[in-house]
Amino acid sequence: MKKFPFLLFTVFVIISFSACKKSSEDFQTAPLSDYFPLTVGKYITYDLDSLVYTNFGTTTEVHSYQVKYETDAQITDNLGRPAYRIIRYIRSNAAAPWLSDNTFMAVNDTYTLEFVENNLRFLKLHAPVRDNYSWKGNTYIDTYSLNSEVKYLDDWDYIYDSVGVQQQVGSFTLDNCLVVDQRDEIIGNPLDPNSYSEINYSREKYASGIGMVYRNFSHSEYQPPVPGLGGHFVTGSYAVTLTMTDHN
């Protein structure tokens, strides 16, 4: 009679330990630096397709370039944190010279990967890195003030999809990738030329040991015709696709 409670207690301890161990293993995640390595001299080149609205927002054109993002130097941000300056170079084709056209900043504070672009601070990645984890990626961006030109970025939920899976990006087969779904929103009926509509879509892919290897972003706002003015896409509507072509 005395052995049964002891045996029951032992079984309980073993089961509890196994459950805790399994739970711990389930929540093991990779560091953010695996998917966004920051090292001076590292670069990634992309094919860039940029969709722009022309003729006062009534027609579209696709402009194609090659761009290279190169980590230029370690710096300090305005909060005193270690950061990295990233320079973007652009050219029209492989025979043309690279010309610098923009500068960005990246900060890895262990829990978040911040990327500052055109004075907008995005939380591109967030710990823990695991399927279905979500966060407010645009939380530091002013989408509320009267004069904000990026109200469409308000309240975006970034979410990890397919962490640690193989992805085909351009000519590369990449074994350890993650996908960040950022927005997939349709307002109104884009098929009706007589009604207002808006489309916001954004998805990025990151590969372990490389960084961002693919980006698909689109924002369009359509205003229907009114007396004296035909239907058109408003200024600020655009789309870009980045597909990696080389890296070191």
Side-chain angles (χ1 to χ4, degrees):
M1 296 294 293
K2 293 183 179 181
K3 291 183 179 181
F4 178 75
F6 176 78
L7 179 60
L8 186 63
F9 174 77
T10 303
V11 171
F12 174 78
V13 170
I14 293 174
I15 292 175
S16 299
F17 177 78
S18 299
C20 290
K21 183 178 181 182
K22 186 177 187 302
S23 177
S24 176
E25 289 172 351
D26 289 343
F27 286 91
Q28 285 180 352
T29 62
L32 302 183
S33 57
D34 281 6
Y35 291 98
F36 205 117
L38 289 169
T39 305
V40 173
K42 178 169 180 56
Y43 69 84
I44 305 176
T45 61
Y46 306 89
D47 282 337
L48 166 64
D49 292 323
S50 174
L51 184 145
V52 296
Y53 292 84
T54 55
N55 295 325
F56 303 101
T58 60
T59 59
T60 60
E61 295 178 359
V62 175
H63 299 166
S64 297
Y65 307 92
Q66 294 178 338
V67 291
K68 176 170 65 173
Y69 286 63
E70 183 171 351
T71 305
D72 173 65
Q74 186 171 4
I75 58 176
T76 302
D77 74 353
N78 58 1
L79 298 177
R81 301 175 301 173
Y84 287 84
R85 181 172 62 234
I86 298 173
I87 298 178
R88 187 179 73 179
Y89 299 88
I90 191 169
R91 63 186 182 186
S92 56
N93 56 68
W98 288 113
L99 300 173
S100 62
D101 78 324
N102 211 336
T103 301
F104 312 115
M105 183 176 67
V107 180
N108 183 350
D109 73 352
T110 303
Y111 297 103
T112 60
L113 191 291
E114 301 177 15
F115 192 83
V116 180
E117 176 178 0
N118 299 327
N119 294 318
L120 302 175
R121 181 156 53 123
F122 298 89
L123 300 181
K124 293 288 191 176
L125 302 175
H126 199 298
V129 179
R130 64 169 184 260
D131 281 346
N132 301 317
Y133 180 77
S134 66
W135 67 99
K136 299 294 185 182
N138 301 343
T139 191
Y140 293 118
I141 296 174
D142 173 23
T143 60
Y144 297 97
S145 66
L146 184 63
N147 297 322
S148 174
E149 297 180 351
V150 290
K151 295 181 185 295
Y152 61 89
L153 294 176
D154 184 50
D155 201 35
W156 283 24
D157 289 308
Y158 290 27
I159 185 169
Y160 289 129
D161 176 20
S162 307
V163 173
V165 301
Q166 187 180 90
Q167 292 282 320
Q168 186 70 36
V169 177
S171 61
F172 294 90
T173 301
L174 305 168
D175 289 331
N176 185 357
C177 298
L178 62 81
V179 178
V180 183
D181 289 324
Q182 300 171 342
R183 197 68 159 182
D184 190 358
E185 174 185 52
I186 297 176
I187 300 172
N189 181 7
L191 300 179
D192 181 2
N194 294 309
S195 66
Y196 174 88
S197 64
E198 182 177 340
I199 297 176
N200 296 299
Y201 178 85
S202 188
R203 165 179 267 207
E204 294 178 348
K205 298 180 181 181
Y206 294 80
S208 179
I210 300 175
M212 190 186 75
V213 295
Y214 178 81
R215 183 188 187 204
N216 186 357
F217 176 95
S218 178
H219 163 68
S220 65
E221 182 183 344
Y222 175 80
Q223 291 288 349
V226 295
L229 182 64
H232 64 282
F233 289 91
V234 304
T235 301
S237 299
Y238 73 105
V240 294
T241 302
L242 289 166
T243 306
M244 184 181 71
T245 59
D246 189 23
H247 70 92
N248 66 352

